[in-house]
Amino acid sequence: MATEERTNVPVHVSMIMDGNGRWAKERGKERVYGHFEGVGSVRACVEAAVETGVRYLSLYAFSEENWNRPEAEVKTLMGLMVKAMADEMDELDRNGVRFMVIGNRERLDKDLNDVVDACMARTAGNRTLTLIIFLSYSGKWDILQAAKKMAVKMLENPEKADEILDMGVEGFDRYLATAGIPDPDLIVRTSGECRLSNYLLWQGAYSELLFVDTLWPDFRKDEFRKALEYYAKRDRRYGKVK
């Protein structure tokens, strides 16, 4: 994958992958068919991110709320993730992609967690692109688990209470599941829905938001580059006046 020279490229692009079920329904297929086709869009976006110089690409694959979907669909999705990791890991590793999974992994079964651990260990030294899969994740869960970590620290170390009470935004960032990862510059949601759906609520405070009508299985390299073009035209002031 060659890397293009671009200016004003976002460091971190995050995707809310929506519309797999509708895409399948439009074709008279079961919902899971759309999930399988969506893997091709993941591959295309990873390639486009490497080619355009994006350093972090994150994908909202499965939310905490998605556990409420029909059991058969959830089981198929988890099996698809295992297969996709196995099928794509050689290519990701060859192209210098570091692979990460973030979320409430206690809810994942052992087989999936084992595959995740193996993929993360294998690619830990790669530096071209960091690919983050948000799996069993929600923004509220993330903030709550961060608050619990802080509470435990204060209970175990009462002498650090003042340190915690005086903590600023950057200090709280270190307790989030995304600690060490830059906040997303651009969040893109496919399928025409205009909401974050409990995704990166803290980290996305100043992200540019782009909602597109394209269903996820149809979101490929051209759509990814159009999203970067949209971002390049934005005037990011972070509350300041220019």
Side-chain angles (χ1 to χ4, degrees), residues 55-68:
R55 301 305 303 273
Y56 293 81
L57 174 65
S58 57
L59 308 172
Y60 197 18
F62 193 87
S63 72
E64 283 273 270
E65 292 76 17
N66 286 155
W67 289 109
N68 296 318

Side-chain angles (χ1 to χ4, degrees), residues 9-230:
V9 176
V11 172
H12 182 176
V13 175
S14 195
M15 311 291 305
I16 300 176
M17 306 181 293
D18 195 19
N20 290 339
R22 273 169 281 174
W23 188 91
K25 186 177 180 181
E26 287 176 0
R27 289 156 178 78
K29 305 281 188 178
E30 296 292 328
R31 287 175 53 85
V32 294
Y33 181 75
H35 297 311
F36 281 99
E37 288 298 314
V39 174
S41 294
V42 172
R43 186 182 305 116
C45 287
V46 170
E47 292 175 357
V50 171
E51 292 165 1
T52 54
V54 171
R55 301 305 303 273
Y56 293 81
L57 174 65
S58 57
L59 308 172
Y60 197 18
F62 193 87
S63 72
E64 283 273 270
E65 292 76 17
N66 286 155
W67 289 109
N68 296 318
R69 289 186 176 186
E71 183 178 353
E73 182 176 352
V74 170
K75 185 176 181 179
T76 298
L77 278 168
M78 295 302 160
L80 174 59
M81 289 174 195
V82 171
K83 184 179 186 304
M85 281 183 254
D87 290 348
E88 303 294 328
M89 205 48 54
D90 285 346
E91 183 72 10
L92 292 176
D93 194 23
R94 188 161 43 245
N95 287 287
V97 178
R98 179 173 60 144
F99 179 82
M100 298 180 67
V101 168
I102 292 176
N104 184 5
R105 290 183 55 189
E106 292 179 1
R107 300 192 69 173
L108 306 181
D109 66 34
K110 183 180 183 301
D111 289 343
L112 180 52
N113 270 319
D114 287 348
V115 172
V116 167
D117 287 338
C119 292
M120 289 176 61
R122 175 178 174 181
T123 63
N126 294 342
R127 293 292 180 265
T128 301
L129 171 74
T130 297
L131 172 63
I132 305 159
I133 307 298
F134 283 95
L135 184 56
S136 189
Y137 175 90
S138 78
K140 289 184 177 181
W141 165 83
D142 197 359
I143 294 169
L144 179 60
Q145 67 84 33
K148 287 179 178 179
K149 286 180 184 177
M150 290 175 59
V152 169
K153 181 177 180 179
M154 192 158 63
L155 288 171
E156 293 178 345
N157 305 277
E159 71 280 4
K160 294 188 177 182
D162 288 343
E163 173 189 324
I164 293 174
L165 292 173
D166 292 338
M167 182 183 298
V169 169
E170 292 78 11
F172 187 75
D173 283 344
R174 293 196 291 269
Y175 289 89
L176 294 167
T178 54
I181 297 168
D183 292 342
D185 302 293
L186 173 65
I187 297 176
V188 181
R189 180 169 187 153
T190 59
S191 87
E193 301 294 345
C194 299
R195 59 179 178 271
L196 290 176
S197 293
N198 202 3
Y199 182 55
L200 295 179
L201 300 180
W202 176 278
Q203 300 87 337
Y206 272 99
S207 302
E208 297 295 327
L209 305 178
L210 176 60
F211 302 102
V212 298
D213 291 332
T214 308
L215 301 177
W216 178 248
D218 292 326
F219 194 95
R220 301 297 168 113
K221 285 188 178 183
D222 284 347
E223 288 72 26
F224 189 90
R225 290 191 172 92
K226 287 176 184 177
L228 297 195
E229 290 170 3
Y230 164 86

